[in-house]
Structure formats: structure tokens, C-alpha cells
Amino acid sequence: MRLTTLFTLPRVLRHSDAIGADLPPDDAVVLDAPDPTLRVALAAAAGGDHAPAAELLALTREHAQWERRDTCVSRLARASLHHPGWLDSWLEESPQDPDAVLVKADQYVYQAWQIRTGARARHVEADQFRAFHTVLRDAVPVISEAAELNPDDPVPWRVALTQARGIQAPREVFDTYLAEANARDPHHEGCHVQALQYLCDKWFGSHEEMFAFAESAAAQAPPGSRLHALPLQAVVEYLIADEEAPGPDPYASRVEAAVTRAQALSGSYAPGDREAAGFRNHLALVLWSMNRYEEALAAFRDIGVHVTTFPWTYFGDARAEFLEARSDTRVELAMRIPFFRPSPEPPATGAPDWERELAPRSVAIASTGPTEVAQAALICGHSLRTAPAGSHHTYVEIVPDPVRGKRAALLPEDPLTSAADSFTTAEDWPALVLHRTPERSSFTLLHRGRKVAAHTWETAAPATDHTEATATATVLARVYGLTDPRPLAHVLRATGDPARHQGELVAALGLPPLPAGYGGELEILAELPGARVLARRGFFAGMRDTLTTKDGVHPEAPAQDEPHPARWWALRTAALLFFTAAAVYAWWTPDIGWFRSTVSSVLAVYYAAKLLRALRRRPVSSTPPPAAS
């Protein structure tokens, strides 16, 4: 740990909660979230029904909604890689349908890139390259047919540009395809993005050619067009090239101009707008990499829940990289604020109430009684509400505290998962922590203080790999004493309806049904018979109550501290300043003995501790304190 990090840790603990407090929680963030109509089509396709997809693409063709059509075709083509039956039946039923043929053409290209992977050429095996080029050559007649069946459509030419890059087509072929795309829609974003990829340094162009193309397209784009952010995508490609050259950066001015243009474009869209998510994710990455954290936080705030695969996938798992960059931005800003300065308030931008609308609805099912859970959770660092779930299980949820505990501030993960991690330690019974948001549902299984299994269902995500699902199902079966893990694996591989699959898993494990209201309100257990609150303790108070509470008795709530008046603060601050000055003077002056120097130091530390404890216990949220049972 760097020394500067150690000195700034108190600032992080004090301010990080407030910085970005209006950002949606991690569990609400969804990768490439489709709009409602596309979500329906993807869910139906996963179930083998192509009718919603056919209706959706027919509308985009009839109304010449080329950008939306491109997005829908791309998502449906990727979905068909994992569930090909619906597309095959669609083509059998209507072999000349321009929409079905277009999805098939794009499927070829996605399949080819799935074989090749996104690694640099030097890391791709020769067999992968051969299969990659074979699939791309097979795509040529299908792409041509898609272009002929709908001559006004620029999307087949976007597919053609991607295919041309993959087969290393010469420049004249690329120029022909780009001219055909521009003739149909001169400002089509998808075609320009693929052209930029062809012209970047890692493929067949150079930094200069890439920037020139992007800047020219942005200069000619109409107001509000997402092509104004094309130079920003060039910036990302330039940054990931990771080229170090002596002297000043020759592209610094162009990078700055691209960022300024993208920020102006972002300002013309509403916060959380799905249509702006693509370039806003690029903007957040660039600002974060340039250490412009205030501006990066504003970009993350505008993104809301809509993380996109690109550009984050360049660095690893896209969603995880996005969340890590967002968290790092908050920490860096917190480190720069003096400890005693008030934490900043989020701007009043009229953004959606993330905490209310998109915060994950969480509940845990512990395989033991409420009293056992309460006694095991005395030092978990969170206030909990428990309710009996049948005769052998307990529902558990978090009760928001008006003051966040020190341990909670140090733990970045979800509060209920953190609490279950603590209260299952050294216990034989497991706890299944369930989360649900509008787009995704998930669970984490904790046993003896360890996370032994986890899984996530997303609305438009492909089915989980069979091997991975089987391994998770085997762990679940072992913990819950089931002999056959295959029904569990079937539920884990299900797609299309995350909430339903989560409920099916709970039933398959033989656990009590999910409590009524789960997925709606944030707190749902208060109305259940036998519900009780376990108020949060400090570590030492929790240890004391653990040793003194009788078995089979629910621990009583600790007494609440009353707020201190201004006079209390003034007197103790004056005492701290006096004894600190006295200690410094005593240790500095040789005529004063060690005893008085030590007494002055101890008193200074004592008053500092009193003030810090009171400062930490000041309310930091508007949530009322939990009522003691």
C-alpha cells in the first residue's frame, strides 16, 4: 500500500458514500440492455418463436429506421448463435424474407468472430484463422442476397464492411462497400464505426487516417447525430494502441477536441438515455483514463444503468470493468476532499430515482430459525429484519441504517451478501442470497462463511455454458442434500424470464417460496408474522452481546445515542485543540517531564476519539432509524 493511500483512507471512508450517491447500484447495471420491444423479440426467439422478431424488423424496414434496424439485427444475430432453431424455421417458412436473410448474414459474421475471438492476431491460432476465413467466405452470398432483397437498406453494407475487414479485403473493395453504404445513408453510425475499425492502426490504416476519417464524418453529420462522437471512438483506439513515443503527444489536441465534441453531444440527450449509451461509455472511459474524474463521474451519472460491451470489453469482462472504473472514480474524488469538509451533494439534474426504481430487491433464505440467525448476525455490521419461513427456514433482509457502519464502508459488496458472509461463518446451515432488478436476477450461496456458488439470469443473455451450469448445480445439490443436480442445471440454463427462473430454482431446492412482494418494495418482511429487527452493533458491542445473550433468545436492540448539541461540539473541539497544543509544547520543551507530556498526549487522543466517534455517528441518509422490536 502506498503511503499516500494510507493517509487518504479516512477521506475515502468519510466521503465515498456521498460521491456518486445518485448513481444506480451495481446490481442494477445491465450490459447492452435492449429496449422493451427488442426484449420481447429476444425472449420469444430464445423460446423458438420468430414472429416477434419478424414483426419488429419488418417495421424498421418499412419506416426506414436504419439505426434501430442495425441494433435489432445485431442483437438477434448474436442471439441466434445460442438459439438457432427460431432463425432456421423462419428461413424455412420465408426463404426470401429480407429480414431473415439479413439476420442470417450477420450471424455468419458473428460466428466467425466468435471463432477468431477478439485477441490480437499474434495470439490467434492458425486453425482458428482458417475456420474464421472459411465462415466469412460462406457469408458472401448471404450478404449479397440481403442487399439485393432490400436495395435501400444500408445494414447489409455494414455487415459487408465487417466481413471485408475480417478477410483482409484490399482497399478498393473497402472503398466500394463504404460508398454503397453512404449512398443509402450517408450518416449511418454502424457503417462508419466499421469503416473506422478498418482504417485504424491495428488493422489496415494508421492513426492519422483514422482520425481524419472520424473528424470528417463528424463535421458533416447533422445536429444530434451520434457521428459527432466518432472521433471519440478514434481516441479509444488510439489509447489502447499503448504506444509510447518521446516528446509531446502529436494527437493531444485532437483527443481534446474529440472529448469536447462528445461532451456537447451528451448534453443534448437526457440522462440515462439508452440511445446515447454507446458514446457515453466511450466518453466515461476516456475521461477516466485521463484522470479527469469530475467529468468522468458526470459521464457515469448520464450513463445510468446502460453499460455497453464496447469499449470496456477491450480490457476484460465489460460489465466488471465498467463497475471497477466507476468505483475508482468515486474513490479518487473522495481522496481529494479534506476530511473535515462536508461531503458534496449530488447535482439536482432531475435524473431518475435510481435507488427507488432500479435498486436490487434483495432477500436471503437461511436454512435455520430466526433466533439462530439473529444470534449469529450480532457482529455482521448491518441492521437486519428476520421473519420465519416455515418451520426450518428464515427470510432475511437489510434494514437501512441512518448511519453507515465502518465495516460496511470498508466492504464494497452488496450489504445483504456481506451480512450473510458474516452470519454463516462457522455455522452448518447455508444462506441463499437472492437479488432481482428489472433486467436481471441472481443468487449467491454462502456456506460456512464462503461463497460457494453464484449465478445470474439476464433477459437477453444466452444460455449458460452446460459445464458451468452443471458445476454450479452440483454444488447446490451437495449443500442442500439433493441427489440429482440435473433439474437444477436445467433451471440455471434457462433464458428469457430471469424472475421466473429464480423462483423455479428456489422451488427446486426445496426452499420456502419467495415472500410476497419480493421484486416490488425494497423492504417486504415487516408485515410477515414474527418479523423482528436486529439492530446493528459495533464490533465490541456485538462480541459482548454474543457472549451474554442466552441461547434461544432474540438479542435486544442496543440503546440509541442522542444527537449532541452545538455546545458539546464546541467544548470538545476546544479541549482537543488545547491538549494537542500542550502535548506538542510538552514534548518539544526539555524542561517538561515525560509524565505531563504523556498525560497531555493521552487527553488529546481521547478527545480526538470522542469527536471522531460522534462525527461517524452523524446521520448520512434520510432513511429513518429502524424501530426496535
PDB file of all heavy atoms in Angstrom, residues 28-56:
ATOM      1  N   ALA A  28     -27.953  -3.039 -10.422  1.00  0.00           N
ATOM      2  CA  ALA A  28     -28.932  -2.523 -11.384  1.00  0.00           C
ATOM      3  C   ALA A  28     -28.323  -2.298 -12.763  1.00  0.00           C
ATOM      4  O   ALA A  28     -29.048  -2.116 -13.737  1.00  0.00           O
ATOM      5  CB  ALA A  28     -29.534  -1.217 -10.865  1.00  0.00           C
ATOM      6  N   VAL A  29     -27.001  -2.304 -12.838  1.00  0.00           N
ATOM      7  CA  VAL A  29     -26.325  -2.042 -14.113  1.00  0.00           C
ATOM      8  C   VAL A  29     -26.434  -3.270 -15.021  1.00  0.00           C
ATOM      9  O   VAL A  29     -26.125  -4.385 -14.603  1.00  0.00           O
ATOM     10  CB  VAL A  29     -24.850  -1.675 -13.865  1.00  0.00           C
ATOM     11  CG1 VAL A  29     -24.083  -1.579 -15.171  1.00  0.00           C
ATOM     12  CG2 VAL A  29     -24.766  -0.356 -13.107  1.00  0.00           C
ATOM     13  N   VAL A  30     -26.888  -3.057 -16.255  1.00  0.00           N
ATOM     14  CA  VAL A  30     -27.134  -4.150 -17.187  1.00  0.00           C
ATOM     15  C   VAL A  30     -26.302  -3.932 -18.444  1.00  0.00           C
ATOM     16  O   VAL A  30     -26.198  -2.810 -18.954  1.00  0.00           O
ATOM     17  CB  VAL A  30     -28.629  -4.242 -17.553  1.00  0.00           C
ATOM     18  CG1 VAL A  30     -28.883  -5.423 -18.472  1.00  0.00           C
ATOM     19  CG2 VAL A  30     -29.469  -4.367 -16.300  1.00  0.00           C
ATOM     20  N   LEU A  31     -25.716  -4.999 -18.945  1.00  0.00           N
ATOM     21  CA  LEU A  31     -24.891  -4.933 -20.153  1.00  0.00           C
ATOM     22  C   LEU A  31     -25.780  -4.994 -21.391  1.00  0.00           C
ATOM     23  O   LEU A  31     -26.553  -5.942 -21.570  1.00  0.00           O
ATOM     24  CB  LEU A  31     -23.896  -6.092 -20.155  1.00  0.00           C
ATOM     25  CG  LEU A  31     -22.898  -6.148 -21.307  1.00  0.00           C
ATOM     26  CD1 LEU A  31     -21.939  -4.963 -21.244  1.00  0.00           C
ATOM     27  CD2 LEU A  31     -22.121  -7.455 -21.297  1.00  0.00           C
ATOM     28  N   ASP A  32     -25.659  -3.976 -22.238  1.00  0.00           N
ATOM     29  CA  ASP A  32     -26.381  -3.942 -23.524  1.00  0.00           C
ATOM     30  C   ASP A  32     -27.878  -4.196 -23.337  1.00  0.00           C
ATOM     31  O   ASP A  32     -28.474  -5.050 -24.002  1.00  0.00           O
ATOM     32  CB  ASP A  32     -25.802  -4.972 -24.505  1.00  0.00           C
ATOM     33  CG  ASP A  32     -24.349  -4.693 -24.847  1.00  0.00           C
ATOM     34  OD1 ASP A  32     -23.958  -3.519 -24.877  1.00  0.00           O
ATOM     35  OD2 ASP A  32     -23.600  -5.657 -25.083  1.00  0.00           O
ATOM     36  N   ALA A  33     -28.492  -3.461 -22.435  1.00  0.00           N
ATOM     37  CA  ALA A  33     -29.919  -3.673 -22.158  1.00  0.00           C
ATOM     38  C   ALA A  33     -30.753  -3.332 -23.395  1.00  0.00           C
ATOM     39  O   ALA A  33     -30.650  -2.235 -23.930  1.00  0.00           O
ATOM     40  CB  ALA A  33     -30.362  -2.808 -20.986  1.00  0.00           C
ATOM     41  N   PRO A  34     -31.595  -4.255 -23.880  1.00  0.00           N
ATOM     42  CA  PRO A  34     -32.437  -3.960 -25.045  1.00  0.00           C
ATOM     43  C   PRO A  34     -33.639  -3.119 -24.642  1.00  0.00           C
ATOM     44  O   PRO A  34     -34.027  -3.085 -23.470  1.00  0.00           O
ATOM     45  CB  PRO A  34     -32.883  -5.356 -25.502  1.00  0.00           C
ATOM     46  CG  PRO A  34     -32.900  -6.166 -24.242  1.00  0.00           C
ATOM     47  CD  PRO A  34     -31.783  -5.626 -23.382  1.00  0.00           C
ATOM     48  N   ASP A  35     -34.238  -2.433 -25.621  1.00  0.00           N
ATOM     49  CA  ASP A  35     -35.476  -1.713 -25.334  1.00  0.00           C
ATOM     50  C   ASP A  35     -36.607  -2.733 -25.186  1.00  0.00           C
ATOM     51  O   ASP A  35     -36.451  -3.916 -25.519  1.00  0.00           O
ATOM     52  CB  ASP A  35     -35.776  -0.682 -26.425  1.00  0.00           C
ATOM     53  CG  ASP A  35     -35.973  -1.320 -27.789  1.00  0.00           C
ATOM     54  OD1 ASP A  35     -36.774  -2.264 -27.901  1.00  0.00           O
ATOM     55  OD2 ASP A  35     -35.321  -0.882 -28.759  1.00  0.00           O
ATOM     56  N   PRO A  36     -37.762  -2.316 -24.670  1.00  0.00           N
ATOM     57  CA  PRO A  36     -38.823  -3.293 -24.377  1.00  0.00           C
ATOM     58  C   PRO A  36     -39.253  -4.146 -25.567  1.00  0.00           C
ATOM     59  O   PRO A  36     -39.479  -5.351 -25.425  1.00  0.00           O
ATOM     60  CB  PRO A  36     -39.973  -2.408 -23.874  1.00  0.00           C
ATOM     61  CG  PRO A  36     -39.291  -1.202 -23.298  1.00  0.00           C
ATOM     62  CD  PRO A  36     -38.100  -0.978 -24.169  1.00  0.00           C
ATOM     63  N   THR A  37     -39.372  -3.529 -26.760  1.00  0.00           N
ATOM     64  CA  THR A  37     -39.813  -4.293 -27.935  1.00  0.00           C
ATOM     65  C   THR A  37     -38.775  -5.339 -28.325  1.00  0.00           C
ATOM     66  O   THR A  37     -39.104  -6.489 -28.625  1.00  0.00           O
ATOM     67  CB  THR A  37     -40.091  -3.357 -29.114  1.00  0.00           C
ATOM     68  OG1 THR A  37     -40.945  -2.296 -28.693  1.00  0.00           O
ATOM     69  CG2 THR A  37     -40.761  -4.109 -30.252  1.00  0.00           C
ATOM     70  N   LEU A  38     -37.526  -4.942 -28.341  1.00  0.00           N
ATOM     71  CA  LEU A  38     -36.465  -5.889 -28.683  1.00  0.00           C
ATOM     72  C   LEU A  38     -36.349  -6.972 -27.622  1.00  0.00           C
ATOM     73  O   LEU A  38     -36.056  -8.130 -27.935  1.00  0.00           O
ATOM     74  CB  LEU A  38     -35.140  -5.142 -28.854  1.00  0.00           C
ATOM     75  CG  LEU A  38     -33.909  -5.986 -29.184  1.00  0.00           C
ATOM     76  CD1 LEU A  38     -34.120  -6.820 -30.436  1.00  0.00           C
ATOM     77  CD2 LEU A  38     -32.676  -5.094 -29.329  1.00  0.00           C
ATOM     78  N   ARG A  39     -36.574  -6.604 -26.354  1.00  0.00           N
ATOM     79  CA  ARG A  39     -36.520  -7.597 -25.289  1.00  0.00           C
ATOM     80  C   ARG A  39     -37.551  -8.698 -25.516  1.00  0.00           C
ATOM     81  O   ARG A  39     -37.267  -9.886 -25.352  1.00  0.00           O
ATOM     82  CB  ARG A  39     -36.761  -6.937 -23.936  1.00  0.00           C
ATOM     83  CG  ARG A  39     -36.615  -7.882 -22.758  1.00  0.00           C
ATOM     84  CD  ARG A  39     -37.013  -7.250 -21.437  1.00  0.00           C
ATOM     85  NE  ARG A  39     -36.247  -6.045 -21.179  1.00  0.00           N
ATOM     86  CZ  ARG A  39     -36.793  -4.830 -21.085  1.00  0.00           C
ATOM     87  NH1 ARG A  39     -38.092  -4.678 -21.239  1.00  0.00           N
ATOM     88  NH2 ARG A  39     -36.041  -3.787 -20.841  1.00  0.00           N
ATOM     89  N   VAL A  40     -38.759  -8.296 -25.932  1.00  0.00           N
ATOM     90  CA  VAL A  40     -39.807  -9.283 -26.212  1.00  0.00           C
ATOM     91  C   VAL A  40     -39.379 -10.206 -27.346  1.00  0.00           C
ATOM     92  O   VAL A  40     -39.558 -11.430 -27.294  1.00  0.00           O
ATOM     93  CB  VAL A  40     -41.130  -8.571 -26.547  1.00  0.00           C
ATOM     94  CG1 VAL A  40     -42.159  -9.568 -27.068  1.00  0.00           C
ATOM     95  CG2 VAL A  40     -41.669  -7.850 -25.316  1.00  0.00           C
ATOM     96  N   ALA A  41     -38.798  -9.619 -28.407  1.00  0.00           N
ATOM     97  CA  ALA A  41     -38.368 -10.422 -29.550  1.00  0.00           C
ATOM     98  C   ALA A  41     -37.259 -11.393 -29.158  1.00  0.00           C
ATOM     99  O   ALA A  41     -37.255 -12.558 -29.590  1.00  0.00           O
ATOM    100  CB  ALA A  41     -37.897  -9.505 -30.677  1.00  0.00           C
ATOM    101  N   LEU A  42     -36.322 -10.942 -28.340  1.00  0.00           N
ATOM    102  CA  LEU A  42     -35.227 -11.813 -27.920  1.00  0.00           C
ATOM    103  C   LEU A  42     -35.729 -12.945 -27.021  1.00  0.00           C
ATOM    104  O   LEU A  42     -35.294 -14.090 -27.149  1.00  0.00           O
ATOM    105  CB  LEU A  42     -34.172 -10.990 -27.183  1.00  0.00           C
ATOM    106  CG  LEU A  42     -33.341 -10.029 -28.046  1.00  0.00           C
ATOM    107  CD1 LEU A  42     -32.575  -9.055 -27.164  1.00  0.00           C
ATOM    108  CD2 LEU A  42     -32.390 -10.780 -28.952  1.00  0.00           C
ATOM    109  N   ALA A  43     -36.637 -12.600 -26.110  1.00  0.00           N
ATOM    110  CA  ALA A  43     -37.183 -13.642 -25.227  1.00  0.00           C
ATOM    111  C   ALA A  43     -37.969 -14.678 -26.027  1.00  0.00           C
ATOM    112  O   ALA A  43     -37.865 -15.884 -25.778  1.00  0.00           O
ATOM    113  CB  ALA A  43     -38.072 -13.001 -24.163  1.00  0.00           C
ATOM    114  N   ALA A  44     -38.749 -14.212 -27.024  1.00  0.00           N
ATOM    115  CA  ALA A  44     -39.513 -15.149 -27.848  1.00  0.00           C
ATOM    116  C   ALA A  44     -38.577 -16.015 -28.684  1.00  0.00           C
ATOM    117  O   ALA A  44     -38.808 -17.220 -28.855  1.00  0.00           O
ATOM    118  CB  ALA A  44     -40.471 -14.380 -28.753  1.00  0.00           C
ATOM    119  N   ALA A  45     -37.509 -15.412 -29.213  1.00  0.00           N
ATOM    120  CA  ALA A  45     -36.551 -16.181 -30.005  1.00  0.00           C
ATOM    121  C   ALA A  45     -35.889 -17.262 -29.164  1.00  0.00           C
ATOM    122  O   ALA A  45     -35.679 -18.391 -29.626  1.00  0.00           O
ATOM    123  CB  ALA A  45     -35.490 -15.244 -30.593  1.00  0.00           C
ATOM    124  N   ALA A  46     -35.568 -16.939 -27.908  1.00  0.00           N
ATOM    125  CA  ALA A  46     -34.981 -17.952 -27.028  1.00  0.00           C
ATOM    126  C   ALA A  46     -35.920 -19.121 -26.818  1.00  0.00           C
ATOM    127  O   ALA A  46     -35.486 -20.252 -26.593  1.00  0.00           O
ATOM    128  CB  ALA A  46     -34.614 -17.322 -25.685  1.00  0.00           C
ATOM    129  N   GLY A  47     -37.233 -18.853 -26.922  1.00  0.00           N
ATOM    130  CA  GLY A  47     -38.207 -19.915 -26.799  1.00  0.00           C
ATOM    131  C   GLY A  47     -38.588 -20.564 -28.118  1.00  0.00           C
ATOM    132  O   GLY A  47     -39.480 -21.425 -28.150  1.00  0.00           O
ATOM    133  N   GLY A  48     -37.932 -20.169 -29.216  1.00  0.00           N
ATOM    134  CA  GLY A  48     -38.166 -20.787 -30.517  1.00  0.00           C
ATOM    135  C   GLY A  48     -39.185 -20.094 -31.393  1.00  0.00           C
ATOM    136  O   GLY A  48     -39.513 -20.592 -32.482  1.00  0.00           O
ATOM    137  N   ASP A  49     -39.686 -18.923 -30.987  1.00  0.00           N
ATOM    138  CA  ASP A  49     -40.721 -18.216 -31.752  1.00  0.00           C
ATOM    139  C   ASP A  49     -40.090 -17.019 -32.471  1.00  0.00           C
ATOM    140  O   ASP A  49     -39.557 -16.118 -31.821  1.00  0.00           O
ATOM    141  CB  ASP A  49     -41.825 -17.745 -30.803  1.00  0.00           C
ATOM    142  CG  ASP A  49     -42.958 -17.042 -31.529  1.00  0.00           C
ATOM    143  OD1 ASP A  49     -42.979 -17.063 -32.776  1.00  0.00           O
ATOM    144  OD2 ASP A  49     -43.816 -16.448 -30.844  1.00  0.00           O
ATOM    145  N   HIS A  50     -40.163 -17.017 -33.811  1.00  0.00           N
ATOM    146  CA  HIS A  50     -39.555 -15.930 -34.575  1.00  0.00           C
ATOM    147  C   HIS A  50     -40.536 -14.809 -34.912  1.00  0.00           C
ATOM    148  O   HIS A  50     -40.130 -13.785 -35.480  1.00  0.00           O
ATOM    149  CB  HIS A  50     -38.966 -16.472 -35.882  1.00  0.00           C
ATOM    150  CG  HIS A  50     -39.995 -17.012 -36.827  1.00  0.00           C
ATOM    151  ND1 HIS A  50     -40.340 -18.335 -36.869  1.00  0.00           N
ATOM    152  CD2 HIS A  50     -40.760 -16.396 -37.766  1.00  0.00           C
ATOM    153  CE1 HIS A  50     -41.275 -18.527 -37.793  1.00  0.00           C
ATOM    154  NE2 HIS A  50     -41.549 -17.370 -38.354  1.00  0.00           N
ATOM    155  N   ALA A  51     -41.807 -14.959 -34.596  1.00  0.00           N
ATOM    156  CA  ALA A  51     -42.815 -13.987 -35.017  1.00  0.00           C
ATOM    157  C   ALA A  51     -42.541 -12.572 -34.489  1.00  0.00           C
ATOM    158  O   ALA A  51     -42.598 -11.605 -35.268  1.00  0.00           O
ATOM    159  CB  ALA A  51     -44.205 -14.463 -34.602  1.00  0.00           C
ATOM    160  N   PRO A  52     -42.250 -12.370 -33.187  1.00  0.00           N
ATOM    161  CA  PRO A  52     -41.969 -11.007 -32.722  1.00  0.00           C
ATOM    162  C   PRO A  52     -40.758 -10.388 -33.413  1.00  0.00           C
ATOM    163  O   PRO A  52     -40.758  -9.183 -33.726  1.00  0.00           O
ATOM    164  CB  PRO A  52     -41.724 -11.186 -31.222  1.00  0.00           C
ATOM    165  CG  PRO A  52     -42.468 -12.421 -30.862  1.00  0.00           C
ATOM    166  CD  PRO A  52     -42.311 -13.325 -32.044  1.00  0.00           C
ATOM    167  N   ALA A  53     -39.711 -11.176 -33.667  1.00  0.00           N
ATOM    168  CA  ALA A  53     -38.537 -10.645 -34.364  1.00  0.00           C
ATOM    169  C   ALA A  53     -38.900 -10.239 -35.787  1.00  0.00           C
ATOM    170  O   ALA A  53     -38.462  -9.182 -36.278  1.00  0.00           O
ATOM    171  CB  ALA A  53     -37.416 -11.680 -34.368  1.00  0.00           C
ATOM    172  N   ALA A  54     -39.687 -11.062 -36.470  1.00  0.00           N
ATOM    173  CA  ALA A  54     -40.097 -10.741 -37.837  1.00  0.00           C
ATOM    174  C   ALA A  54     -40.925  -9.465 -37.874  1.00  0.00           C
ATOM    175  O   ALA A  54     -40.734  -8.602 -38.758  1.00  0.00           O
ATOM    176  CB  ALA A  54     -40.894 -11.916 -38.422  1.00  0.00           C
ATOM    177  N   GLU A  55     -41.826  -9.308 -36.930  1.00  0.00           N
ATOM    178  CA  GLU A  55     -42.665  -8.112 -36.881  1.00  0.00           C
ATOM    179  C   GLU A  55     -41.820  -6.869 -36.593  1.00  0.00           C
ATOM    180  O   GLU A  55     -42.013  -5.813 -37.212  1.00  0.00           O
ATOM    181  CB  GLU A  55     -43.732  -8.290 -35.807  1.00  0.00           C
ATOM    182  CG  GLU A  55     -44.683  -7.122 -35.695  1.00  0.00           C
ATOM    183  CD  GLU A  55     -45.735  -7.332 -34.613  1.00  0.00           C
ATOM    184  OE1 GLU A  55     -45.803  -8.457 -34.072  1.00  0.00           O
ATOM    185  OE2 GLU A  55     -46.483  -6.386 -34.329  1.00  0.00           O
ATOM    186  N   LEU A  56     -40.883  -6.985 -35.666  1.00  0.00           N
ATOM    187  CA  LEU A  56     -40.032  -5.855 -35.305  1.00  0.00           C
ATOM    188  C   LEU A  56     -39.180  -5.399 -36.492  1.00  0.00           C
ATOM    189  O   LEU A  56     -39.135  -4.204 -36.817  1.00  0.00           O
ATOM    190  CB  LEU A  56     -39.142  -6.243 -34.128  1.00  0.00           C
ATOM    191  CG  LEU A  56     -38.051  -5.254 -33.713  1.00  0.00           C
ATOM    192  CD1 LEU A  56     -38.650  -3.924 -33.298  1.00  0.00           C
ATOM    193  CD2 LEU A  56     -37.208  -5.845 -32.571  1.00  0.00           C
TER     194      LEU A  56
END
